[in-house]
């Protein structure tokens, strides 16, 4: 139920009983992500001042080391989750290997693991364009109290218990799902609290926006080329509008609200596409499905792909249901 002026903290507590494994543990975990998001947001907002207070790698006038924002965000999320002692493992797009937490402590009862892309689209920071954080939460599959293993992280996306993103845009928003719809919260920077602003977000079934890096057109598979031409054809509600920020979270967020499709296909340059299955595609696919949208690699449901490695890449097509199905139709025809 939509309550006016409800904060994210209140929403998490109120809804924790509807979660199927009902436990305060997931609530604490979401609360730590909320905290890390605020810390990162503060730093991202200062990005334009970098030349004044010191460039990445420099020492600023206060004698503190300046860090690149993606490294900073990575550290902040890992630090918050580790300090609060609520997860047993973390994998990050910024780290080569997963991190096992308290792996030598037999009394360690934490069940959840987190996968995170701490600052996606970070090449956009220098030009003051929105970036985002993406997270994904699973229950471990190995026994509680033992060190986590790779097996805990290589679960299919359909096993996610929660996923979300933070978009550091004109306003900062946190959008997440625990498998019971998608809700969005907007940060009030004066108070430092997130407020429920977008309850029960739904992808329109059809859309008129397509988001793809068309500069790579020549390298795309024939099915994708045909779909792009279809988007540009004058017929019914087409030609569609083309919008590509080059920041997955922002492109996805706009498409989910207005109706549209995001595509990062494989190409003759990137044999498996560019986006990472575990840190980017699975969480966005889970959110999309929870909002009545769809996510596919062109042929297969993203959430049904069995991962084989931590940093695996997959082609990604995600957005309004009917648009994604259209792409799948074009892909099948072009085989
Ligand atoms: P990153 O994880 O290195 O930031 O890359 C992911 C980003 C996405 O946010 C974005 O949609 C895509 O890369 C843009 O790639 P390109 O510049 O090839 O279009
Ligand atoms: Mg990324």
């Amino acid at each position: 139920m939509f309550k006016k002026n409800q904060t994210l903290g209140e929403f998490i507590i109120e809804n924790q009983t509807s979660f199927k494994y009902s436990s305060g543990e997931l609530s604490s975990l979401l609360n730590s992500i909320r905290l890390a998001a605020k810390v990162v947001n503060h730093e991202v907002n200062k990005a334009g001042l970098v030349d004044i207070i010191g460039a990445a790698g420099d020492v600023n006038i206060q004698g503190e080391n300046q860090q690149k924002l993606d490294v900073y965000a990575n550290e902040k999320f890992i630090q918050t989750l580790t300090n609060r002692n609520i997860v047993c493992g973390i994998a990050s797009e910024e780290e080569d290997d997963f991190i096992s937490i308290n792996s030598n402590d037999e009394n360690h009862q934490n069940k959840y693991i987190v996968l995170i892309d701490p600052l996606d689209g970070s090449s956009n920071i220098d030009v003051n364009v929105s970036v985002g954080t993406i997270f994904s939460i699973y229950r471990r599959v190995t026994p509680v109290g033992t060190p986590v293993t790779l097996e805990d992280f290589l679960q299919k996306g359909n096993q996610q218990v929660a996923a979300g993103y933070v978009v550091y845009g004109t306003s900062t928003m946190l959008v997440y799902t625990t498998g019971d719809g998608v809700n969005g919260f907007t940060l009030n920077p004066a108070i430092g609290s997130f407020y429920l602003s977008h309850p029960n977000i739904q992808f329109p079934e059809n859309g008129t926006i397509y988001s793809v890096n068309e500069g790579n057109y020549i390298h795309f598979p024939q099915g994708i080329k045909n779909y792009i031409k279809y988007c540009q054809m004058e017929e019914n509600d087409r030609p569609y509008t083309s919008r590509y920020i080059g920041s997955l979270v922002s492109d996805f967020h706009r498409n989910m609200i207005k109706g549209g499709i995001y595509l990062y296909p494989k190409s003759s340059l990137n044999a498996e596409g560019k986006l990472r299955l575990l840190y980017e595609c699975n969480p966005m696919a889970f959110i999309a499905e929870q909002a009545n949208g769809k996510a596919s690699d062109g042929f297969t449901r993203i959430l049904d792909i069995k991962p084989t490695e931590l940093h695996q890449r997959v082609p990604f097509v995600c957005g309004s249901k009917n648009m994604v199905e259209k792409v799948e139709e074009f892909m099948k025809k072009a085989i």
Side-chain angles (χ1 to χ4, degrees), residues 250-280:
S250 317
D251 279 311
F252 175 97
H253 186 72
R254 183 208 46 242
N255 292 347
M256 179 162 69
I257 292 187
K258 294 194 160 181
I261 187 167
Y262 172 96
L263 305 105
Y264 208 110
K266 65 162 130 184
S267 72
S268 43
L269 302 174
N270 299 313
E272 296 307 323
K274 176 186 182 190
L275 301 183
R276 319 276 181 144
L277 175 60
L278 299 187
Y279 313 105
E280 291 160 335

